[in-house]
Amino acid sequence: MPRPREFEPDVVLDQAMLRFWWQGYRATSIEDLVKATGVKPGSLYSAFPGGKRTLFLRSLERYSKLVVPQKLGELAAPGASLGALRGYFDGLVSDLLSPEGRQGCLLVNTAIENAAEDDEAAAVVRGHLARLEQCMATALRNARDTGEVRASVDPAGSAKLLVATCQGLMVVGKANPDGAVLRAIVDNAFAVLA
């Protein structure tokens, strides 16, 4: 008879997610995960068949469910408009200027580190980008309808550009957390909407 599990899988996922977020996939060893979670290797492999990779993919999914909605905030609301969109970007800049924020976004970090060689990780990243693009397109459509942006703004096309801008912003912010530089990137992205 197998022994009952002595840990909560969601708690383990939270701890693993934080470790992957901080160190990246490649730099995180099973030993790091054992230290972070307090769970022995055999128990980790038993709970997460496939080991480190499975734990990583499940951590990405958990990040997408728990952290991303907090970061999206008002931008995820159906009535979001230009203020919510700008608030999202201002939040990114604020995060990137904090010591904790320098770790960036787990999904952006994954896109850089893993997506080219791991189809499953790439699929999670693509899902996140599609969600972000949809939120931005909705906000731009609402802003266009209320006259907050030019009537000629294409919400779908502009959302694609803004998604690329925010992803680039997070990369720049990790390497050069200079508030003036980050704010200039955001200001110029929004200038094309006026």
Side-chain angles (χ1 to χ4, degrees):
M1 176 177 205
R3 289 178 39 199
R5 220 178 253 157
E6 296 178 9
F7 59 88
E8 279 293 320
D10 286 345
V11 172
V12 169
L13 278 174
D14 288 344
Q15 294 162 335
M17 176 184 71
L18 291 172
R19 184 57 61 116
F20 286 127
W21 191 359
W22 190 254
Q23 289 182 209
Y25 177 74
R26 287 187 192 98
T28 301
S29 67
I30 288 294
E31 184 177 312
D32 292 329
L33 293 169
V34 167
K35 285 179 186 174
T37 64
V39 177
K40 295 181 180 176
S43 296
L44 276 177
Y45 282 104
S46 176
F48 302 96
K52 175 182 164 181
R53 184 167 179 278
T54 298
L55 194 51
F56 177 66
L57 293 171
R58 297 271 309 274
S59 294
L60 284 179
E61 291 166 1
R62 189 144 175 89
Y63 180 91
S64 188
K65 288 179 189 167
L66 298 180
V67 177
V68 171
Q70 292 174 354
K71 297 295 182 188
L72 287 175
E74 293 179 22
L75 185 58
S81 198
L82 193 61
L85 186 57
R86 182 62 193 233
Y88 173 77
F89 275 87
D90 291 343
L92 292 179
V93 170
S94 179
D95 284 350
L96 289 165
L97 295 176
S98 72
E100 303 83 33
R102 289 282 310 276
Q103 71 192 49
C105 167
L106 179 59
L107 291 163
V108 174
N109 297 347
T110 298
I112 294 166
E113 182 184 15
N114 303 72
E117 60 204 33
D118 186 329
D119 291 340
E120 287 181 81
V124 175
V125 171
R126 281 193 307 273
H128 165 65
L129 295 176
R131 176 183 183 183
L132 184 57
E133 185 178 319
Q134 182 57 47
C135 289
M136 289 184 177
T138 297
L140 287 168
R141 196 171 302 107
N142 292 340
R144 186 185 63 189
D145 292 348
T146 59
E148 294 179 275
V149 298
R150 290 183 285 108
S152 61
V153 165
D154 169 26
S158 295
K160 288 176 183 3
L161 177 63
L162 290 175
V163 166
T165 300
C166 76
Q167 302 310 290
L169 182 73
M170 286 187 268
V171 173
V172 170
K174 284 180 70 96
N176 181 19
D178 180 308
V181 169
L182 299 176
R183 283 187 282 279
I185 292 168
V186 174
D187 290 344
N188 279 285
F190 278 78
V192 301
L193 301 171

